[in-house]
PDB file of all heavy atoms in Angstrom:
ATOM      1  N   TYR A  14      37.543  -9.492  95.061  1.00 86.00           N
ATOM      2  CA  TYR A  14      36.575  -9.207  94.000  1.00 86.00           C
ATOM      3  C   TYR A  14      35.186  -9.531  94.523  1.00 86.00           C
ATOM      4  O   TYR A  14      34.977 -10.574  95.147  1.00 86.00           O
ATOM      5  CB  TYR A  14      36.874 -10.041  92.757  1.00 86.00           C
ATOM      6  CG  TYR A  14      38.148  -9.601  92.086  1.00 86.00           C
ATOM      7  CD1 TYR A  14      39.355 -10.177  92.421  1.00 86.00           C
ATOM      8  CD2 TYR A  14      38.134  -8.588  91.134  1.00 86.00           C
ATOM      9  CE1 TYR A  14      40.536  -9.754  91.821  1.00 86.00           C
ATOM     10  CE2 TYR A  14      39.307  -8.164  90.526  1.00 86.00           C
ATOM     11  CZ  TYR A  14      40.499  -8.757  90.881  1.00 86.00           C
ATOM     12  OH  TYR A  14      41.660  -8.344  90.286  1.00 86.00           O
ATOM     13  N   PHE A  15      34.247  -8.628  94.280  1.00 86.00           N
ATOM     14  CA  PHE A  15      32.876  -8.828  94.720  1.00 86.00           C
ATOM     15  C   PHE A  15      31.943  -8.102  93.770  1.00 86.00           C
ATOM     16  O   PHE A  15      32.111  -6.898  93.528  1.00 86.00           O
ATOM     17  CB  PHE A  15      32.703  -8.291  96.150  1.00 86.00           C
ATOM     18  CG  PHE A  15      31.318  -8.445  96.689  1.00 86.00           C
ATOM     19  CD1 PHE A  15      30.852  -9.679  97.095  1.00 86.00           C
ATOM     20  CD2 PHE A  15      30.480  -7.355  96.784  1.00 86.00           C
ATOM     21  CE1 PHE A  15      29.580  -9.823  97.592  1.00 86.00           C
ATOM     22  CE2 PHE A  15      29.200  -7.486  97.280  1.00 86.00           C
ATOM     23  CZ  PHE A  15      28.744  -8.727  97.688  1.00 86.00           C
ATOM     24  N   CYS A  16      30.978  -8.826  93.226  1.00 85.00           N
ATOM     25  CA  CYS A  16      29.951  -8.246  92.345  1.00 85.00           C
ATOM     26  C   CYS A  16      30.544  -7.392  91.223  1.00 85.00           C
ATOM     27  O   CYS A  16      30.082  -6.285  90.951  1.00 85.00           O
ATOM     28  CB  CYS A  16      28.951  -7.441  93.155  1.00 85.00           C
ATOM     29  SG  CYS A  16      27.870  -8.450  94.156  1.00 85.00           S
ATOM     30  N   GLY A  17      31.588  -7.890  90.597  1.00 84.00           N
ATOM     31  CA  GLY A  17      32.184  -7.184  89.469  1.00 84.00           C
ATOM     32  C   GLY A  17      33.079  -6.021  89.847  1.00 84.00           C
ATOM     33  O   GLY A  17      33.423  -5.206  88.995  1.00 84.00           O
ATOM     34  N   CYS A  18      33.431  -5.931  91.118  1.00 89.00           N
ATOM     35  CA  CYS A  18      34.304  -4.839  91.571  1.00 89.00           C
ATOM     36  C   CYS A  18      35.552  -5.396  92.229  1.00 89.00           C
ATOM     37  O   CYS A  18      35.531  -6.473  92.827  1.00 89.00           O
ATOM     38  CB  CYS A  18      33.575  -3.968  92.590  1.00 89.00           C
ATOM     39  SG  CYS A  18      32.185  -3.076  91.909  1.00 89.00           S
ATOM     40  N   GLN A  19      36.623  -4.642  92.115  1.00 91.00           N
ATOM     41  CA  GLN A  19      37.848  -4.957  92.834  1.00 91.00           C
ATOM     42  C   GLN A  19      37.885  -4.063  94.061  1.00 91.00           C
ATOM     43  O   GLN A  19      37.692  -2.840  93.956  1.00 91.00           O
ATOM     44  CB  GLN A  19      39.072  -4.706  91.964  1.00 91.00           C
ATOM     45  CG  GLN A  19      40.356  -5.082  92.648  1.00 91.00           C
ATOM     46  CD  GLN A  19      41.569  -4.899  91.752  1.00 91.00           C
ATOM     47  OE1 GLN A  19      41.534  -4.166  90.774  1.00 91.00           O
ATOM     48  NE2 GLN A  19      42.639  -5.576  92.085  1.00 91.00           N
ATOM     49  N   SER A  86      36.736  -0.334  92.614  1.00 92.00           N
ATOM     50  CA  SER A  86      36.808  -0.025  91.184  1.00 92.00           C
ATOM     51  C   SER A  86      36.209  -1.177  90.387  1.00 92.00           C
ATOM     52  O   SER A  86      36.203  -2.320  90.848  1.00 92.00           O
ATOM     53  CB  SER A  86      38.253   0.215  90.764  1.00 92.00           C
ATOM     54  OG  SER A  86      39.046  -0.913  91.042  1.00 92.00           O
ATOM     55  N   PRO A  87      35.695  -0.874  89.188  1.00 87.00           N
ATOM     56  CA  PRO A  87      35.190  -1.956  88.339  1.00 87.00           C
ATOM     57  C   PRO A  87      36.317  -2.928  88.013  1.00 87.00           C
ATOM     58  O   PRO A  87      37.429  -2.507  87.702  1.00 87.00           O
ATOM     59  CB  PRO A  87      34.709  -1.239  87.081  1.00 87.00           C
ATOM     60  CG  PRO A  87      34.545   0.187  87.470  1.00 87.00           C
ATOM     61  CD  PRO A  87      35.542   0.432  88.558  1.00 87.00           C
ATOM     62  N   ALA A  88      36.045  -4.220  88.134  1.00 81.00           N
ATOM     63  CA  ALA A  88      37.059  -5.220  87.825  1.00 81.00           C
ATOM     64  C   ALA A  88      37.293  -5.251  86.317  1.00 81.00           C
ATOM     65  O   ALA A  88      36.344  -5.189  85.540  1.00 81.00           O
ATOM     66  CB  ALA A  88      36.620  -6.593  88.320  1.00 81.00           C
ATOM     67  N   PHE A  91      35.259  -7.330  83.409  1.00 58.00           N
ATOM     68  CA  PHE A  91      33.913  -7.641  83.882  1.00 58.00           C
ATOM     69  C   PHE A  91      32.902  -7.082  82.903  1.00 58.00           C
ATOM     70  O   PHE A  91      33.001  -5.933  82.482  1.00 58.00           O
ATOM     71  CB  PHE A  91      33.698  -7.046  85.271  1.00 58.00           C
ATOM     72  CG  PHE A  91      32.322  -7.289  85.818  1.00 58.00           C
ATOM     73  CD1 PHE A  91      31.945  -8.561  86.209  1.00 58.00           C
ATOM     74  CD2 PHE A  91      31.417  -6.261  85.933  1.00 58.00           C
ATOM     75  CE1 PHE A  91      30.685  -8.796  86.716  1.00 58.00           C
ATOM     76  CE2 PHE A  91      30.145  -6.481  86.438  1.00 58.00           C
ATOM     77  CZ  PHE A  91      29.781  -7.759  86.837  1.00 58.00           C
ATOM     78  N   GLY A  95      29.567  -2.585  86.327  1.00 54.00           N
ATOM     79  CA  GLY A  95      30.732  -2.010  86.983  1.00 54.00           C
ATOM     80  C   GLY A  95      30.571  -1.932  88.481  1.00 54.00           C
ATOM     81  O   GLY A  95      31.370  -2.449  89.203  1.00 54.00           O
ATOM     82  N   TYR A  96      29.533  -1.281  88.962  1.00 56.00           N
ATOM     83  CA  TYR A  96      29.291  -1.185  90.401  1.00 56.00           C
ATOM     84  C   TYR A  96      27.989  -1.874  90.702  1.00 56.00           C
ATOM     85  O   TYR A  96      26.980  -1.677  90.033  1.00 56.00           O
ATOM     86  CB  TYR A  96      29.244   0.268  90.861  1.00 56.00           C
ATOM     87  CG  TYR A  96      30.573   0.968  90.746  1.00 56.00           C
ATOM     88  CD1 TYR A  96      30.782   1.927  89.781  1.00 56.00           C
ATOM     89  CD2 TYR A  96      31.620   0.638  91.595  1.00 56.00           C
ATOM     90  CE1 TYR A  96      32.018   2.558  89.673  1.00 56.00           C
ATOM     91  CE2 TYR A  96      32.845   1.265  91.480  1.00 56.00           C
ATOM     92  CZ  TYR A  96      33.032   2.224  90.522  1.00 56.00           C
ATOM     93  OH  TYR A  96      34.240   2.839  90.414  1.00 56.00           O
ATOM     94  N   GLY A  97      27.980  -2.712  91.719  1.00 56.00           N
ATOM     95  CA  GLY A  97      26.785  -3.456  92.074  1.00 56.00           C
ATOM     96  C   GLY A  97      26.745  -4.787  91.356  1.00 56.00           C
ATOM     97  O   GLY A  97      27.432  -5.010  90.378  1.00 56.00           O
ATOM     98  N   PRO A  99      25.387  -7.747  89.009  1.00 53.00           N
ATOM     99  CA  PRO A  99      24.648  -7.750  87.745  1.00 53.00           C
ATOM    100  C   PRO A  99      23.236  -8.297  87.903  1.00 53.00           C
ATOM    101  O   PRO A  99      22.913  -8.983  88.786  1.00 53.00           O
ATOM    102  CB  PRO A  99      25.482  -8.639  86.842  1.00 53.00           C
ATOM    103  CG  PRO A  99      26.417  -9.378  87.720  1.00 53.00           C
ATOM    104  CD  PRO A  99      26.492  -8.664  89.018  1.00 53.00           C
TER     105      PRO A  99
END
Side-chain angles (χ1 to χ4, degrees):
Y14 291 91
F15 180 75
C16 289
C18 294
Q19 183 177 21
S86 58
F91 178 71
Y96 293 108

